[in-house]
Amino acid sequence: MSEQHAEREQRVTPVELFFDLVFVFGFTQVTTVLSDDPTWGGVGHGLLILAALWWAWAAYAWLTNTVDPEVGAVWGAMLVAMAAMFVAALAVPDSFGSHGVVFGVAFLIVNVMYLILYALAARGDRDLLAAVLRSAPAALSGAGLIVAAGFVEGWLRPTLWLAALVVGLFGPLLGGTSGWRVQPAHFVERHGLIVIIAVGESLIAISLGARGAGLGIGVIVAAVLGLAVATSFWLAYFDFFSIRGQQILSDQSGAQRTALARDVYTYLHLPMVAGIVLFAFAMKTTLAQVGDELATIPALGLCGGPALYLFAYVAIRLRVARTLGGGRLVAAVACALLLPVAIVVPALVALALVAAVWVGLHAYEIIWWREARARIRALRVPASAS
């Protein structure tokens, strides 16, 4: 690896961090969609929108892992893409209504800019250029379907969205990994930062819910419990997973590294982020009615969000080690099983039960896996490793 690439892996650039601020807004808008329409349809719309936002973010994560975003032309093009993504985020609350076309056109611009930048960066690399050209039909077709969805009504609109995500987000699987490359340290850091952004959005949701409900004793207790769960999201990721993930990627090379990065980060980080966003939505409702029973959809977010987040780790372990593990699988099942309880007890009690599952999981991992955690931390990969 060249010295320039080794240095690029040591940090995420300021322009990438600035680009990610748009997605903070986008995630917040998805929470708004869920809050405004707490029905099965609203959950479906919210998750489709979130998957589209993730599709766009993941594409640029791969791009900036290859291209230095602080180079003048790339920097300018990323600002154009960021402006388009900001417009798309503005349209999110009504993207299944009157602003569907606005969202679709802005999203198409984001995808076109990504492909142009990648193609320009790959001009001197035949293999990478071939990989970009293989992915272009899926990206453009998927974005085009979202534009088309803005012109139709009823059941056809979510159907086109779903088709767009299948084509755009999963279509590249058909093209294989030939030509793509990954710089582990930068790639891992990039995804760690988006997880922090999602957790931060949950804190914003807690603060907004508390402000709307008034700071009574019940609300304060619920806010602290919500903070405990948000901290648990963070701890489950950064205690050792982020370190181990970089080690595993660095131990691989070529097509195996690329496939692992795609599966573990591009695909299996999506349910992590979705779980955090669902929990953030549920917290707004929980804080508004701490003494009342939750309706089914907010209860689903409260229990199902953490369950989905933890099941993502189970899937990652299955992908990497071909085993299911124990602690996180048990905790994920426990959170899922709390759903029927959460709709018959006060919201504060349901939240306390979810927090208790997290505390139990952390206690188990800190005690049972203390030696393994110590070894992983001692073998921390240098930032310049590849």
Side-chain angles (χ1 to χ4, degrees):
M1 174 179 293
S2 69
E3 181 179 350
Q4 179 183 7
H5 281 181
E7 183 177 346
R8 279 271 299 117
E9 279 202 314
Q10 292 179 8
R11 63 188 181 91
V12 171
T13 63
V15 70
E16 291 173 276
L17 294 173
F18 189 44
F19 185 79
D20 285 354
L21 292 178
V22 175
F23 290 88
V24 177
F25 178 48
F27 292 159
T28 302
Q29 292 283 74
V30 172
T31 305
T32 299
V33 170
L34 296 171
S35 299
D36 290 346
D37 186 15
T39 64
W40 289 109
V43 170
H45 292 169
L47 292 179
L48 287 172
I49 295 166
L50 180 62
L53 294 176
W54 179 260
W55 166 11
W57 181 88
Y60 280 86
W62 281 89
L63 173 68
T64 56
N65 189 250
T66 303
V67 181
D68 186 350
E70 294 194 325
V71 173
V74 178
W75 180 85
M78 281 196 66
L79 289 183
V80 173
M82 183 171 66
M85 195 67 246
F86 186 70
V87 172
L90 287 172
V92 160
D94 205 19
S95 55
F96 278 82
S98 59
H99 293 158
V101 175
V102 174
F103 181 94
V105 171
F107 189 76
L108 177 61
I109 293 172
V110 171
N111 278 272
V112 169
M113 293 303 299
Y114 153 74
L115 291 170
I116 290 174
L117 281 172
Y118 231 138
L120 290 174
R123 282 178 300 176
D125 188 331
R126 183 179 301 175
D127 292 338
L128 179 58
L129 181 59
V132 174
L133 293 177
R134 288 198 309 271
S135 70
L140 295 177
S141 299
L145 285 171
I146 291 181
V147 175
F151 291 98
V152 300
E153 301 290 341
W155 62 269
L156 189 55
R157 178 169 289 183
T159 301
L160 287 177
W161 268 76
L162 183 59
L165 292 170
V166 170
V167 171
L169 191 55
F170 297 101
L173 285 170
L174 300 177
T177 59
S178 175
W180 300 106
R181 287 179 292 278
V182 178
Q183 299 178 40
H186 177 271
F187 201 72
V188 170
E189 182 185 8
R190 195 85 172 86
H191 286 77
L193 288 173
I194 202 67
V195 171
I196 289 180
I197 285 175
V199 173
E201 197 279 328
S202 70
L203 297 180
I204 293 172
I206 292 172
S207 67
L208 291 175
R211 184 175 65 183
L215 286 181
I217 295 298
V219 171
I220 292 174
V221 172
V224 172
L225 289 172
L227 175 62
V229 175
T231 303
S232 294
F233 287 136
W234 171 84
L235 185 61
Y237 193 92
F238 291 99
D239 183 36
F240 64 89
F241 171 80
S242 60
I243 303 170
R244 183 59 180 149
Q246 184 177 331
Q247 291 172 349
I248 293 171
L249 274 187
S250 297
D251 289 342
Q252 302 292 328
S253 61
Q256 288 183 331
R257 174 188 289 179
T258 303
L260 189 66
R262 177 199 64 198
D263 297 343
V264 171
Y265 288 91
T266 300
Y267 291 133
L268 291 177
H269 271 53
L270 174 56
M272 285 187 190
V273 173
I276 296 171
V277 171
L278 284 171
F279 177 77
F281 144 70
M283 279 303 302
K284 293 179 70 174
T285 304
T286 298
L287 287 164
Q289 52 184 71
V290 291
D292 300 326
E293 298 170 1
L294 290 171
T296 300
I297 299 302
L300 176 67
L302 190 70
C303 303
L308 183 60
Y309 181 83
L310 288 166
F311 275 125
Y313 288 102
V314 176
I316 288 172
R317 185 183 179 108
L318 186 62
R319 168 64 176 84
V320 172
R322 301 293 189 268
T323 62
L324 289 173
R328 297 195 177 189
L329 175 60
V330 171
V333 172
C335 286
L337 292 177
L338 284 176
L339 176 57
V341 178
I343 60 178
V344 297
V345 299
L348 183 59
V349 174
L351 176 58
L353 291 173
V354 172
V357 171
W358 276 108
V359 171
L361 173 62
H362 293 315
Y364 163 77
E365 292 188 339
I366 289 172
I367 295 171
W368 189 259
W369 294 103
R370 60 185 181 278
E371 294 182 0
R373 292 169 64 252
R375 286 197 303 271
I376 290 172
R377 289 172 172 272
L379 296 172
R380 186 184 297 266
V381 177
S384 60
S386 58

